[in-house]
Amino acid sequence: MIASAKVLLLGDIGVGKSSLARRFIFDHFDANYKTTIGVDIMTHDLDLEDGEAPFRFVLWDTDGDFGQQIFSSVYVVGAAAALIVSDATRPDSLTKAGGLAETFASRFPGRPAKVIVNKIDLLDDPAPRFTVDGLSADDLALTSAKTGQNVMQLFRTLGRTIRRRA
Ligand code: GTP
Ligand code: MG
């Protein structure tokens, strides 16, 4: 039996949750915005190159409209980890991600969670720095679903972290 884990994609509307999933699964980017209604569930197997069988991600790509209400829904039940996404050009989305990360940590203590600053292709600064109250630099990752920067590494690292905990 293949090891699998439910991973939540959380974060404000339009920050790129679905685009990160699409980059990860299909290595493809779509500039057209089609907002997620409710939740899309997608599975993808990734070889973690650790001598074990591939690891199955069961991504729960949520609708950013939920905000903190997502934690009152059935969608979060059984989550092994969360990727909490923000938009590098929208500081408010990073604040919201910090709040979601805090709620996730209290609801699922010890389960891996990372705050993602996505769309870094839109910044002029090649080495931007972001901080979120209560989070260390290790808790943050910078990505671009458009260029693919850091996307595969992000999922590979997360998969290894989840597998190590299991
Ligand atoms: P909801 O489902 O509404 O919550 O949004 P979402 O977080 O799933 O965002 P989505 O992936 O649909 O992306 C929203 C818009 O941002 C789309 O037009 C994407 O093409 C664009 N986008 C997503 N990621 C990136 C990125 O890394 N760089 C750039 N330049 N645009 C991006
Ligand atoms: Mg979406």
Side-chain angles (χ1 to χ4, degrees), residues 26-43:
F26 304 109
D27 197 17
H28 176 77
F29 177 74
D30 186 349
N32 293 312
Y33 179 24
K34 281 192 226 77
T35 189
T36 304
I37 309 291
V39 65
D40 284 333
I41 304 170
M42 295 165 263
T43 64

Side-chain angles (χ1 to χ4, degrees), residues 3-64:
S4 72
K6 172 175 176 175
V7 175
L8 299 175
L9 284 167
L10 305 177
D12 203 5
I13 54 168
V15 294
K17 300 175 293 295
S18 302
S19 297
L20 286 167
R22 201 172 296 123
R23 171 61 72 190
F24 172 52
I25 297 173
F26 304 109
D27 197 17
H28 176 77
F29 177 74
D30 186 349
N32 293 312
Y33 179 24
K34 281 192 226 77
T35 189
T36 304
I37 309 291
V39 65
D40 284 333
I41 304 170
M42 295 165 263
T43 64
H44 188 59
D45 296 349
L46 182 66
D47 186 355
L48 297 178
E49 293 158 359
D50 55 3
E52 309 264 338
F55 185 80
R56 176 162 297 166
F57 288 88
V58 183
L59 298 181
W60 287 56
D61 173 20
T62 65
D63 176 338

